[in-house]
Amino acid sequence: GVIIVLVMVLVSILVIIPKFLSTDFGRKIAVSYADELLSGKLEIENWSLRWFGGIHIEGVRYDDSSAGLRVDIVEVKGNQGLFSLLTNPEGIGQMVLNQPDIYLYPLSIKEKKSTLAEQQKQEASEAAASDKVPLIVGYFNISNGSIRSVSGDGKESILAKDINMVVSAADLKAPIAYQINMKSKDEQGQIAGEGSFVPADDATLSLEDIQSKAHLNIKNWELNDILSIAGILTQVPQGKGRLNADVNLNGSISSGLHIVGNAAIPELKLWGGPLQSDRPVVKNIDFKLDALKQKSQIKLNRLDLQSSLFNISADGVIQNERQNRINGQASADLPEIFS
């Protein structure tokens, strides 16, 4: 009789747990526990949890002021219940993120140095431990996302919108396929990417051993907002110009990652930053690259940069300060530069 009572109590507790966590009080306890594991602050407006039948989360906000980052997600839906997620944490099933908005905030000089130091310390610690990340199996769908910058006075600027991404990781050994598309603020620019990568033999995402195949295409993308963000992080000029580019990657860092790409900017206007009062205009920029990245070495098969102001071509090997072997030619239109 005692065993039956204990079993009934245990079953009752198990049944109550999802309902308790779905209450405001239970959700706040769970979120406060998650906060202790994160560098930023997590907020969730509402969620519905079940042992079986999937989860539904609304109003997610993650704010990490020390990193100048905030992420808002309108809705998260998953078809796996708590039982599947706890018993098989590597498999999350189908997960949908609806309208994730990423906000980038400027950091002060002190915060930049502190954040950089923390990142370097963390990267060194992670590198010493292992460069391998456990693989999570599932189907991810990100829809209608955006990336925005926020100035010091609170003014928002859209860097990219209508971001849609699909990632399919069906098996621990199978290739992981992905597709991503986004538009610029003025909707004239577009970025489309697709590809796949094969996990390491031990079913982890080893940065050096991942066999990757990717294609990225950029059409008519305005550089103004991108240069503005870069200007917050470091001393670069501001500017305007439309970027068109096409890049292909194939291989891995350990066996050789082959990078072939080209980029063109019909006209680039620059000002501010280190240029001070100068306002140069560079026309007909054309860049071509064919390189092989293998561990600490980069082999340049071809590097060509042509423009109305200067032309550069180079090939060779970049390894370290003492073992670089570079052949190159350069020319400049001095009258145009000093005009």
Side-chain angles (χ1 to χ4, degrees):
V2 175
I3 295 177
I4 294 177
V5 171
L6 291 175
V7 170
M8 291 180 62
V9 170
L10 179 61
V11 170
S12 299
I13 293 174
L14 291 175
V15 171
I16 290 173
I17 287 176
K19 294 183 178 180
F20 170 74
L21 292 176
S22 295
T23 64
D24 289 343
F25 181 68
R27 186 180 68 254
K28 289 178 180 178
I29 291 177
V31 169
S32 64
Y33 176 77
D35 269 343
E36 296 179 359
L37 305 176
L38 300 170
S39 59
K41 181 174 178 56
L42 178 66
E43 297 178 15
I44 296 177
E45 290 184 3
N46 190 27
W47 66 16
S48 175
L49 307 177
R50 300 188 181 99
W51 281 117
F52 307 96
I55 61 174
H56 185 203
I57 306 173
E58 296 177 331
V60 179
R61 169 169 289 185
Y62 176 71
D63 193 345
D64 188 350
S65 58
S66 63
L69 173 69
R70 193 184 93 211
V71 180
D72 292 347
I73 306 176
V74 171
E75 181 183 44
V76 179
K77 293 190 295 185
N79 70 339
Q80 300 279 56
L82 290 178
F83 181 80
S84 296
L85 294 174
L86 292 174
T87 57
N88 183 24
E90 294 179 342
I92 66 168
Q94 297 182 8
M95 188 72 68
V96 178
L97 277 66
N98 183 29
Q99 199 174 327
D101 297 318
I102 299 174
Y103 296 83
L104 305 176
Y105 290 83
L107 297 174
S108 66
I109 299 297
K110 182 178 179 180
E111 288 174 326
K112 289 180 190 176
K113 292 180 178 179
S114 175
T115 301
L116 180 60
E118 289 177 2
Q119 288 177 347
Q120 291 175 340
K121 184 178 179 181
Q122 181 177 355
E123 289 172 0
S125 175
E126 291 174 351
S130 175
D131 67 342
K132 297 184 177 183
V133 179
L135 180 63
I136 296 177
V137 174
Y139 177 86
F140 306 85
N141 189 336
I142 298 174
S143 63
N144 198 27
S146 73
I147 302 175
R148 306 161 186 254
S149 65
V150 183
S151 63
D153 58 4
K155 183 180 178 181
E156 293 183 11
S157 180
I158 297 175
L159 302 180
K161 66 178 185 177
D162 296 342
I163 300 175
N164 297 287
M165 184 175 183
V166 175
V167 180
S168 178
D171 187 85
L172 290 174
K173 297 293 184 179
I176 299 171
Y178 60 88
Q179 290 183 328
I180 184 169
N181 296 276
M182 64 184 73
K183 293 180 180 179
S184 62
K185 177 174 60 176
D186 58 10
E187 298 191 352
Q188 295 184 37
Q190 295 184 359
I191 294 179
E194 63 179 353
S196 63
F197 53 90
V198 180
D201 293 335
D202 55 357
T204 60
L205 297 181
S206 171
L207 298 180
E208 289 198 350
D209 297 330
I210 289 176
Q211 290 288 332
S212 178
K213 185 176 183 179
H215 175 235
L216 180 68
N217 183 260
I218 303 174
K219 292 182 179 179
N220 208 32
W221 197 276
E222 174 57 59
L223 296 174
N224 180 252
D225 288 330
I226 297 176
L227 291 174
S228 297
I229 290 297
I232 295 174
L233 302 175
T234 185
Q235 279 290 98
V236 298
Q238 301 303 293
K240 291 189 67 176
R242 296 278 177 177
L243 172 66
N244 292 276
D246 196 83
V247 181
N248 287 280
L249 291 87
N250 195 1
S252 70
I253 295 177
S254 60
S255 62
L257 182 62
H258 192 196
I259 306 169
V260 178
N262 61 80
I265 305 174
E267 183 178 79
L268 179 62
K269 299 179 179 179
L270 299 171
W271 66 87
L275 294 176
Q276 298 181 2
S277 61
D278 293 335
R279 300 178 70 90
V281 178
V282 189
K283 297 181 179 180
N284 303 322
I285 299 174
D286 188 73
F287 176 75
K288 291 182 173 61
L289 175 67
D290 184 338
L292 184 66
K293 165 68 175 175
Q294 189 169 18
K295 295 187 177 179
S296 61
Q297 176 180 288
I298 299 175
K299 180 182 178 182
L300 288 177
N301 299 319
R302 179 188 184 188
L303 187 154
D304 287 331
L305 176 59
Q306 298 182 354
S307 72
S308 60
L309 297 185
F310 51 83
N311 299 313
I312 299 173
S313 62
D315 61 64
V317 176
I318 302 173
Q319 188 163 353
N320 55 49
E321 294 181 357
R322 297 182 179 180
Q323 295 183 334
N324 292 335
R325 301 189 304 275
I326 301 295
N327 302 311
Q329 294 180 341
S331 62
D333 189 339
L334 296 180
E336 182 71 19
I337 292 175
F338 292 104
S339 63

